[in-house]
Amino acid sequence: SYLIPNHVKSLCYIQSEIPIIESGAMCAETTIKEQDWQFEEIAFLRSVGDAIIMELANRQIIDSKRQLEVSCAEFDAVANFTQCWDVLITTEGKIAWSNTAVERLTGFSVYEVVEREDFPMFLGGHQEEREILERIRSEIFNGKSSDETPVQITTKDGSKEWLQLVWREVDSLGDVIDGFVVSSIRVTRRVEVEESLVAAEKAQRHLNNLVLAFQETTPTAIIQTSMDRS
């Protein structure tokens, strides 16, 4: 209703591509060769330009919000369903953040472990476990590399689990250490299999020693046969 009577054929807004700077130019195409612009008309075009800038800014905010929501959803999917328990520990020894895998591995909820200052000792059910976990804590804060040796813990319900802990420093400002990220995975099944293999090997060696001792102390000739009838 305004553009046509005032010989304005089209409007074009050109936005600057300079980072951080939100600026642009409003171009007006007229239906006549020369246009004697009045102050009110120029003010109107500027207001139209401002409205376009605001609309573009709102679209950018909406797009950024959508991208952030997607990133948060992807992060939550990993953090909430992974079998790796990750915690962020401050330089004062307090748990600043934990993913929900803590409940799957230890039985404790995120709310029960966040702000605790005795990580990982609170996972020790008896003195020997606590001493091992206290040694691991000392190695974390003294910058020693993790040897990935499984450690036994006591879960919230009193059952035993084996965890393998690895850690790394978090430094956002050069050489300044902001904290530590400790990752733990359950290796109970692996430890049980390894212990079963060691026990089976030990039993086999013991049986072999008994056979050899029997052969050495028995003068009668013995015919050895296989018991495998497969």
Side-chain angles (χ1 to χ4, degrees):
S1 60
Y2 174 84
L3 301 180
I4 296 177
N6 287 276
H7 310 292
V8 178
K9 182 178 181 180
S10 63
L11 292 174
C12 176
Y13 175 74
I14 303 175
Q15 185 178 12
S16 172
E17 294 185 354
I18 301 176
I20 304 175
I21 299 177
E22 291 288 345
S23 62
M26 174 64 69
C27 302
E29 181 184 8
T30 63
T31 58
I32 57 178
K33 291 184 179 181
E34 295 183 0
Q35 174 78 356
D36 186 16
W37 297 100
Q38 302 297 317
F39 175 80
E40 294 79 4
E41 296 172 331
I42 296 176
F44 171 78
L45 292 177
R46 289 191 61 180
S47 65
V48 172
D50 292 339
I52 294 176
I53 292 174
M54 289 297 297
E55 177 64 22
L56 290 174
N58 289 333
R59 289 184 182 182
Q60 290 177 350
I61 293 173
I62 293 173
D63 290 341
S64 298
K65 185 178 180 180
R66 287 175 179 171
Q67 292 176 0
L68 180 60
E69 289 174 349
V70 171
S71 298
C72 289
E74 293 174 346
F75 177 82
D76 289 341
V78 174
N80 293 335
F81 298 100
T82 182
Q83 293 300 315
C84 179
W85 174 30
D86 294 317
V87 294
L88 174 62
I89 307 175
T90 66
T91 52
E92 291 77 25
K94 182 183 298 184
I95 296 180
W97 177 86
S98 170
N99 66 356
T100 57
V102 60
E103 191 161 357
R104 291 188 285 277
L105 270 62
T106 71
F108 293 96
S109 68
V110 172
Y111 300 104
E112 289 176 301
V113 301
V114 169
E115 299 295 324
R116 293 198 68 141
E117 299 180 357
D118 56 347
F119 175 86
M121 286 84 73
F122 72 90
L123 297 172
H126 53 77
Q127 185 62 29
E128 184 178 355
E129 286 182 355
R130 285 189 289 270
E131 288 177 355
I132 295 174
L133 293 169
E134 189 170 0
R135 174 180 57 80
I136 291 176
R137 178 186 174 90
S138 177
E139 291 177 353
I140 293 174
F141 283 89
N142 289 327
K144 292 186 178 181
S145 300
S146 54
D147 57 10
E148 301 184 5
T149 301
V151 294
Q152 191 175 53
I153 66 159
T154 301
T155 64
K156 185 178 180 179
D157 63 5
S159 60
K160 299 294 183 181
E161 293 284 357
W162 287 89
L163 299 183
Q164 181 176 297
L165 282 68
V166 295
W167 55 84
R168 64 185 183 276
E169 296 176 349
V170 178
D171 51 350
S172 59
L173 298 174
D175 296 330
V176 179
I177 299 176
D178 294 333
F180 308 88
V181 173
V182 182
S183 301
S184 308
I185 59 173
R186 183 191 288 118
V187 292
T188 303
R189 181 57 180 162
R190 190 190 80 189
V191 172
E192 290 174 347
V193 171
E194 291 175 349
E195 289 179 344
S196 298
L197 292 174
V198 170
E201 184 180 355
K202 183 178 179 180
Q204 185 64 48
R205 286 199 306 267
H206 180 65
L207 179 60
N208 292 340
N209 291 335
L210 290 177
V211 173
L212 290 174
F214 177 74
Q215 290 175 340
E216 292 174 355
T217 57
T218 303
T220 306
I222 298 176
I223 300 177
Q224 293 183 346
T225 61
S226 174
M227 299 299 291
D228 186 6
R229 295 182 181 180
S230 60

